Amino acid sequence: MKFKLLAGLVVAALLSACGEKEASSASGAAAPAEVKTFNWKLVTSWPKNFPGLGTGPEKFATLVDEMSNGRLKIKVYGAGQLVPALEVFDAVSRGTAQMGHSGAYYWKGKSPAAQFFTSVPFGLNAQEMHGWIHYGGGMELWQELYAPFNLIPLAGGNTGVQMGGWFNKEINSLDDLKGLKMRMPGLGGEVLERAGGTPVTLPGAELFTALQTGAIDATEWVGPYNDLAFGLYKAAKYYYYPGWHEPGSMLEFTVNKPAFDTLPKDLQAIVRTASRAVNQDMLDEYTARNNYALKELVGKHKVQLRPYPKDVLLKLRDLSDEVLLEVSQKDEMTKKVYESFIKYRDNVMEYHTLTEQAFLNARSQ
Ligand code: CA
């Protein structure tokens, strides 16, 4: 009897507490609503935790977890853990994973236009690329391009101007590129082909072995910070600059659209905001670390640093103009993207000649 009475009092106390809670939420305090959590997979084209490229999506997942107070958990997979490096686009498109992190130029088989959303030979540097994507019409075109694949694209990091690549012979004239089998994806690869070389697209993790065994004669990858991490200096002697083929490569996040549509508005905003943060963060990291890595390559590993000769660069630039124009004729969408890109580039170049370029010239004279 006594126990029953006590139990009854406890129940009454609990009911009363609930009543208080409801009253406080009605007065504007945080509502104790049911918390729905989401568990997503994010597949990437990079080795797990690879500096910059691989740590970018890890930072993204951590940031989303913190910003959402644990309501959106994202597990990041390295290349090959869930899907191979170059199948990220298809995996996210069909919903095997809700998100991907990669480079749009790997998907040129879907449309040549995709390549413009990573980097264009003699195109835009990182700062200019971000301007085109977010304020110059680039993002709208990118969304239009990916919509038929059920994908939403987001900026996913930028490497800044890359290095020109690793060679086992000097490049003194355009003829030295003839017959050269070189790893170079995207539009840069098409320019290399026009110069008489044979471009190959390989995921990063395969570069060292391919170069060391002679399966390829030369390769580009990213810049000193990443190239040092792959040990490419052990397989090639000459390191050329600048990366005319990738002057500001932007990585991408892709989101499966049906999955994105299931998120409440605040989580959608968190995904968008975290991608913008990581996009800039990656560039900051490369900017701070590349030259230390370069000093190690040259000082410790005795890498021979070489500039591309001026006339070689001039010829490559002319070939790039030809290739871009030809590629733009392949379909309506590519033409639209090309026209937007070139119009933006001409405009931003005009201003940057007077500002960024004039300043860099003034500083180094
Ligand atoms: Ca590259």
Side-chain angles (χ1 to χ4, degrees), residues 68-87:
S68 71
N69 201 19
R71 288 159 57 220
L72 178 51
K73 298 266 183 204
I74 299 176
K75 186 170 162 55
V76 179
Y77 293 84
Q81 289 185 321
L82 199 62
V83 298
L86 301 184
E87 285 178 26

Side-chain angles (χ1 to χ4, degrees), residues 5 26 64 150 252 341:
L5 182 64
V64 167
N150 267 335
E252 68 173 11
F341 187 95

Side-chain angles (χ1 to χ4, degrees), residues 193-261:
E193 191 167 20
R194 192 65 55 99
T198 306
V200 182
T201 298
L202 287 174
E206 293 174 26
L207 297 185
F208 178 77
T209 306
L211 192 57
Q212 202 179 38
T213 58
I216 53 175
D217 304 312
T219 187
E220 67 79 55
W221 175 225
V222 180
Y225 181 46
N226 281 159
D227 295 9
L228 175 67
F230 267 154
L232 296 175
Y233 60 88
K234 292 180 214 157
K237 184 175 170 188
Y238 299 105
Y239 197 23
Y240 270 79
Y241 66 91
W244 55 270
H245 62 298
E246 293 194 51
S249 295
M250 198 184 68
L251 288 311
E252 68 173 11
F253 284 109
T254 42
V255 192
N256 177 272
K257 188 164 184 303
F260 190 75
D261 289 344

Side-chain angles (χ1 to χ4, degrees), residues 293-360:
L294 184 62
K295 281 181 177 161
E296 190 174 334
L297 286 168
V298 173
K300 189 172 163 193
H301 302 298
K302 307 299 171 208
V303 165
Q304 300 288 308
L305 195 58
R306 295 278 189 280
Y308 275 107
K310 197 176 172 191
D311 66 312
V312 171
L313 286 174
L314 280 174
K315 284 174 185 155
L316 288 168
R317 198 179 72 186
D318 289 345
L319 291 177
S320 294
D321 288 343
E322 279 177 38
V323 165
L324 292 184
L325 189 60
E326 273 178 40
V327 166
S328 76
Q329 308 302 313
K330 287 191 177 168
D331 60 48
E332 256 326 289
M333 190 64 208
T334 308
K335 186 161 180 275
K336 247 164 61 172
V337 172
Y338 166 83
E339 283 172 357
S340 167
F341 187 95
I342 295 297
K343 189 177 165 200
Y344 175 89
R345 183 183 66 170
D346 290 349
N347 188 57
V348 83
M349 267 177 73
E350 207 173 284
Y351 185 63
H352 275 181
T353 305
L354 309 178
T355 52
E356 307 294 327
Q357 193 171 332
F359 167 70
L360 291 177

Side-chain angles (χ1 to χ4, degrees), residues 46 49-57 101 156 225-226 278 282 285-286:
W46 336 109
N49 279 319
F50 191 73
L53 304 177
T55 51
H101 189 257
Y225 181 46
N226 281 159
V278 164
M282 198 185 290
E285 185 180 4
Y286 280 113

